[in-house]
Amino acid sequence: MIIVMQQNATREQIKDVAARVEDLGFRAHLSTGEERTIIGVIGDERQLQGSPLEILPGVERIVPILAPYKLASRDFKSQNTVVKLGDIAIGGDAVVVIAGPCAVESREQLRETAKFVKEAGAKALRGGAFKPRTSPYSFQGLGIEGLEMLAEVREEFGLKIVTEVMSPVDIETVCKYSDMLQIGTRNMQNYALLHEAGESGHPVLLKRGFSSTIQEYLQAAEYILSHKNYNVVLCERGIRTFETATRFTFDINAIPVLKGLTHLPVIADPSHGTGKWDLVRPVSRAAIAAGADGVIVEVHPHPELAKSDGAQSLKPSVFAELMADLAKISAAVGRYLA
Amino acid sequence: MIIVMQQNATREQIKDVAARVEDLGFRAHLSTGEERTIIGVIGDERQLQGSPLEILPGVERIVPILAPYKLASRDFKSQNTVVKLGDIAIGGDAVVVIAGPCAVESREQLRETAKFVKEAGAKALRGGAFKPRTSPYSFQGLGIEGLEMLAEVREEFGLKIVTEVMSPVDIETVCKYSDMLQIGTRNMQNYALLHEAGESGHPVLLKRGFSSTIQEYLQAAEYILSHKNYNVVLCERGIRTFETATRFTFDINAIPVLKGLTHLPVIADPSHGTGKWDLVRPVSRAAIAAGADGVIVEVHPHPELAKSDGAQSLKPSVFAELMADLAKISAAVGRYLA
Amino acid sequence: MIIVMQQNATREQIKDVAARVEDLGFRAHLSTGEERTIIGVIGDERQLQGSPLEILPGVERIVPILAPYKLASRDFKSQNTVVKLGDIAIGGDAVVVIAGPCAVESREQLRETAKFVKEAGAKALRGGAFKPRTSPYSFQGLGIEGLEMLAEVREEFGLKIVTEVMSPVDIETVCKYSDMLQIGTRNMQNYALLHEAGESGHPVLLKRGFSSTIQEYLQAAEYILSHKNYNVVLCERGIRTFETATRFTFDINAIPVLKGLTHLPVIADPSHGTGKWDLVRPVSRAAIAAGADGVIVEVHPHPELAKSDGAQSLKPSVFAELMADLAKISAAVGRYLA
Amino acid sequence: MIIVMQQNATREQIKDVAARVEDLGFRAHLSTGEERTIIGVIGDERQLQGSPLEILPGVERIVPILAPYKLASRDFKSQNTVVKLGDIAIGGDAVVVIAGPCAVESREQLRETAKFVKEAGAKALRGGAFKPRTSPYSFQGLGIEGLEMLAEVREEFGLKIVTEVMSPVDIETVCKYSDMLQIGTRNMQNYALLHEAGESGHPVLLKRGFSSTIQEYLQAAEYILSHKNYNVVLCERGIRTFETATRFTFDINAIPVLKGLTHLPVIADPSHGTGKWDLVRPVSRAAIAAGADGVIVEVHPHPELAKSDGAQSLKPSVFAELMADLAKISAAVGRYLA
């Protein structure tokens, strides 16, 4: 951490700030420039987070030097983490595709979906039983009943199940019926939920908050990791910007940036990242071309009848085309489709 | 709701879309322009939310006409709602000030704070026992112990207590120790929490999500209202933008916009909306000048020792100046300080 | 400037970077922390702008310490600059109101406007002869003819004239007919224009780019100041954010932030900052309450007939109410209306 | 255009608005819903832009139906436009790579660059002689001298030249020395410049404003097209968002969205879209995978010595790797590298 003093800071003020730093158990290292004095703070600055050094008299601002997360960083672990759902490995050489409906609507819809995604080559099925909806008047999901349907389909088709959990009280139940907990974009900073997901030890698909910086995103992952649950997969799913032509702006830069900063696997959700089914194919291709370890996409046997997110769901034939696309792009970047 | 057809939509497609609208129980009203046909959907379009009409063949896009919330709107209730915490009324002529530390740190800190905010004229005390923190390594609050301290201070100083709740499992407890539940910015779309807060019937201070549109904000309020809990106070607390000179951008426009769209009271949180103590006075004045029903500000007897948010906390003397400022501004807009 | 080395930077790399710094004529000051070595660069770092030290082997990132502008900063000049348009002073104790139509449409419209803004107490008249319009099919302004009308009205009503210039080739002409050049939000980084405006020596109203940071804004002002033209007035006019309920988000924080960083006067444009006439009064009040030195607002004798920006223009009676509001708010913050 | 009336609009108000619509030469078509009356405006609504119908008594809001541009739209011309620079075609099956230094610094630097980009397979050379720089103290480019160097290199290496123009007064000169005018992100709404670029008839590379919506971007293109200059190539170059891990957020969604809305070619600038050289390869691959017609990238023989943008410039060996990447990705999407 660097403390930048004001241009007109007095010697007394500089001395006091340095003394405060030492009091807190750190060493202070002064450097006097032409226009400003700066004080280097030697020690593990993460312990100073929240300490309001910046309001001491004479201080202009504080510049953190270290990333505010540790377990999630490449500094801590340089090799890629591979998260396993049974025989499926996310974060290795293979590119993984997870597909399924936004919401579980019925046994028939789910079986029909499982059948065609399995045939087209997907390895895991997504589908929401608990649905976070912007409006209280929208379909809120089938709850436990939906989870049971997912478990049945898992049995029948041999697909791994990824499903969302919205409340700490539901974690135990959702773990029972699924192979991977999904924490949605609106809950990325729901710390009660992150703590419990960490405790569960279950694999977690942690979506990026739609207005969270990459740094905050890795801090959210750190919450889970700090409970010794290292089975965390990250997922870029679009951020909120001024652009209204798409529902969100898929942050393609985030893919290589995350791969550089963290050892955790990174996948992409172009369905939410665009909000329009006809953008899902090009943006999925782009994500894999940029280095993503997989994609999670919304599909539906009859998108025009979907109870939620129909506009961004792929119908079976388009999903098959997407799989063909991704096989080619994976090969072009030296990988292969799982 | 308006359905805009593509320029080259066929008659058949137009007919099919209209038929689908009628199937869903609405009336379809065609209007043929020079370049586009549009179909007006007659009926309560809120029931169509999530229905993917936009992917029917020939459809270009859907334009909603009605706001997606009802109970929160001025259309539903034109007169201002006044939320009462005992003898304090928020949303009436008086401007209300809520003040207190970011986090409850100790009995002494809390009593000292309660004393000076009471003396300066504040009517309610804020203070967090459960703290949502970006980093798992930061101080997470005193929990129940903190709630007990708040209750003691309420007794001793006669101040109403506003404190945050982060998990549905804690709602009952937090209701017991407080006069108003605070739902923080990161939980504005934590629907499990909103449902329970609605059920509790307790007054709720619902902060705006830092990246939520005003429309989404009112939909979040609708969740609570839909449980027949009408004691909801809104709070603009800054939004995330590209600007880095301040922690958030306080959306001053939101104050009069919200007052126009909803009957609920609207207060301002300039501490989080700026992130810097020296901006709290000018932005508090601005909020009242723009029509806010009150402010909630962070204060601390010794900001330089605060365990969280010290940089944006006011020390006692500055808080007293702020109160003097707000008395003058309130008068200038025809109101008075409670 | 601080150079933060990577965790695994070698001694050799650190030595090389330090050597490079010395080669460039600066002194290098090493500070070895527990996890990172940092190198302080002693000297006027503004001369290093654009120098790509961050790609030298072993470098993690560069942290600038000094603001990248000089003449515009309070460090350079601590006392407020007062910009004079004849007998009007902007930046002193008095709050100044500039009002007028978005575009000069006709002699009658302009005279009618001048009459009522003068009567209500405005000191200067705004009005565009050259109009930057998003669409090539919109009214583009009357050009020279419009400037002549402005000059006539100046003569007749004794109001100072503020009008926009869009191209370096027009600066000489616009100076002749006006008291102050306006540089619009879309041209804040039109450097050819900034250079010429600097050369002209004429007072300049420099609007903030709608997506420019405060730092970039002050760098744009620096362009003008660097030509020894110190008659620059800044104007917050709203920034682009994700919120769509208003055309722009008025950045109220920017008012006190700018007043702290620079000695230049700061006014507010709530007409563009909101895009809606009924938000102009509350947001104007807020701007003055937050410390702005004045406002510039759009008015029109018949907004419903305006050729541009009718939706955000005040009609005469509302403008008169606004003036009454601002007199009260100015008094509440210890100032008065010019 | 649709006019949505307020819930409590009177019959009289509805009649008046309809009458006003008819007065303006359009037909009004009423549609009475359960909660709102809406008025469809039949005719070419582009002529109504700027007409403030929304402030007529009883009007709630206006919903445009048609895109506010015409010549740039697929409705107007459904087939792809191919822009030719001599024997190079942008917008056809081949993927085109334009590369070169941010700024022309010297004859040697330019020749060295031209040599290696030519060898690696680039078809056109970029390089700025007029440089828009955030700070007045940064290197502003070599001006005419730089243009002459570009023309010499064009002669020697047979590369097409793309270079920026910043002021309408320079357009004639820049046309003489280049094959394509570049209009930079900060000038996308510099209408004086757009008009002159349109008049010139020269091919134009129009970069997206870093905070411009796709709609505004196409309106800016429309300015040029409206002068009958159809040789316009669009270029996504990153937008400004809240994320600070990268300089800008490359809007990958914009590629397929633009390809859908307009017939103009669309290329990508991952150098500015990321700001970091090590992100240029993955994001370039992503852009082509998403359907871009080419990329423009910054390269430098010695990035660590570059006078500007060194941090985002590729050195020769990395550029060669990028070309190999793009050949594979182009093939994977059924195209080939020019």
Side-chain angles (χ1 to χ4, degrees), chain C residues 133 137 211 222-223 240, chain D residues 133 137 211 216 222-223:
Chain C
R133 302 303 300 276
Y137 308 123
S211 274
E222 189 86 1
Y223 262 88
R240 180 159 281 182
Chain D
R133 302 302 301 275
Y137 307 124
S211 275
E216 289 166 345
E222 188 88 1
Y223 261 88

Side-chain angles (χ1 to χ4, degrees), chain D residues 72-82 91 262-265:
Chain D
S73 79
R74 286 256 183 220
D75 279 0
F76 178 75
K77 175 169 183 288
S78 60
Q79 281 185 303
N80 285 344
T81 288
V82 176
T262 183
H263 50 86
L264 298 171

Side-chain angles (χ1 to χ4, degrees), chain B residues 80-140:
Chain B
N80 285 345
T81 288
V82 176
V83 173
K84 293 205 172 163
L85 310 184
D87 54 344
I88 301 175
I90 308 180
D93 285 345
V95 165
V96 173
V97 177
I98 304 169
C102 174
V104 177
E105 298 170 6
S106 70
R107 185 165 281 105
E108 297 64 43
Q109 171 240 26
L110 199 62
R111 290 191 62 239
E112 204 176 338
T113 305
K115 191 162 177 300
F116 81 74
V117 304
K118 171 93 181 181
E119 280 172 12
K123 296 298 169 198
L125 183 73
R126 58 151 292 154
F130 298 102
K131 295 300 309 170
R133 301 302 300 276
T134 309
S135 167
Y137 309 123
S138 298
F139 174 60
Q140 309 270 320

Side-chain angles (χ1 to χ4, degrees), chain A residues 18-290:
Chain A
R20 179 69 186 279
V21 166
E22 307 263 349
D23 280 356
L24 287 162
F26 295 79
R27 277 185 302 121
H29 179 150
L30 263 69
S31 173
T32 308
E34 287 185 5
E35 302 193 23
R36 292 283 189 287
T37 291
I38 63 175
I39 302 175
V41 178
I42 316 291
D44 183 0
E45 70 183 60
R46 290 184 196 90
Q47 295 166 26
L48 284 178
Q49 277 168 17
S51 178
L53 293 168
E54 71 198 88
I55 55 169
L56 294 180
V59 173
E60 185 170 285
R61 67 193 169 102
I62 299 293
V63 180
I65 296 301
L66 301 181
Y69 47 86
K70 189 156 190 165
L71 307 174
S73 78
R74 285 256 182 220
D75 279 359
F76 178 76
K77 175 170 184 285
S78 61
Q79 280 185 302
N80 284 345
T81 288
V82 176
V83 173
K84 294 206 172 161
L85 310 183
D87 54 346
I88 301 174
I90 308 179
D93 284 345
V95 165
V96 173
V97 177
I98 304 168
C102 174
V104 178
E105 298 170 6
S106 71
R107 185 165 281 105
E108 295 64 42
Q109 170 241 23
L110 199 61
R111 290 191 63 240
E112 202 175 340
T113 305
K115 191 162 178 299
F116 80 75
V117 304
K118 171 92 180 181
E119 280 173 10
K123 297 298 169 197
L125 183 73
R126 57 151 292 153
F130 298 102
K131 297 300 309 168
R133 302 302 301 275
T134 309
S135 167
Y137 308 124
S138 298
F139 174 60
Q140 310 270 319
L142 297 178
I144 300 279
E145 201 188 348
L147 292 177
E148 288 168 352
M149 292 176 190
L150 285 166
E152 283 172 36
V153 162
R154 167 166 62 170
E155 206 64 31
E156 181 176 356
F157 293 91
L159 287 162
K160 302 296 168 192
I161 299 296
V162 182
T163 195
E164 180 156 2
V165 61
M166 287 171 59
S167 176
V169 299
D170 297 325
I171 283 200
E172 204 181 321
T173 312
V174 178
C175 283
K176 214 172 70 187
Y177 291 102
S178 72
D179 301 286
M180 189 175 218
L181 298 174
Q182 179 179 313
I183 294 185
T185 188
R186 284 164 189 74
N187 283 318
M188 193 204 84
Q189 294 190 314
N190 181 338
Y191 300 116
L193 193 62
L194 295 177
H195 277 303
E196 292 300 317
E199 279 300 303
S200 77
H202 216 60
V204 177
L205 179 63
L206 179 64
K207 293 212 169 174
R208 180 180 180 183
F210 63 74
S211 273
S212 297
T213 62
I214 285 173
Q215 181 171 295
E216 289 166 346
Y217 190 17
L218 291 173
Q219 287 181 287
E222 188 87 1
Y223 262 89
I224 302 172
L225 299 176
S226 71
H227 287 272
K228 301 205 197 311
N229 181 352
Y230 303 114
N231 296 308
V232 176
V233 173
L234 303 175
C235 179
E236 163 61 30
R237 50 78 68 212
I239 58 173
R240 180 159 280 181
T241 69
F242 63 83
E243 180 58 69
T244 53
T246 47
R247 210 165 142 202
F248 291 96
T249 297
F250 187 84
D251 182 2
I252 190 80
N253 292 356
I255 307 271
V257 168
L258 283 168
K259 294 297 289 181
L261 293 172
T262 184
H263 50 86
L264 298 171
V266 179
I267 68 169
D269 175 352
S271 304
H272 288 92
T274 64
K276 298 192 171 171
W277 72 268
D278 54 340
L279 301 178
V280 172
R281 271 177 75 190
V283 175
S284 294
R285 290 192 309 253
I288 301 305

Side-chain angles (χ1 to χ4, degrees), chain D residues 142-192:
Chain D
L142 296 179
I144 299 279
E145 202 187 349
L147 292 178
E148 288 168 351
M149 292 175 189
L150 286 165
E152 282 173 36
V153 162
R154 166 165 62 170
E155 205 63 30
E156 183 177 352
F157 292 91
L159 288 161
K160 301 298 167 191
I161 299 296
V162 181
T163 197
E164 180 155 0
V165 62
M166 288 171 59
S167 174
V169 298
D170 296 325
I171 283 200
E172 202 180 323
T173 311
V174 178
C175 284
K176 213 170 71 186
Y177 290 101
S178 73
D179 300 288
M180 189 175 220
L181 297 174
Q182 179 179 312
I183 294 185
T185 188
R186 286 164 187 74
N187 283 317
M188 193 204 85
Q189 294 189 314
N190 181 338
Y191 300 115

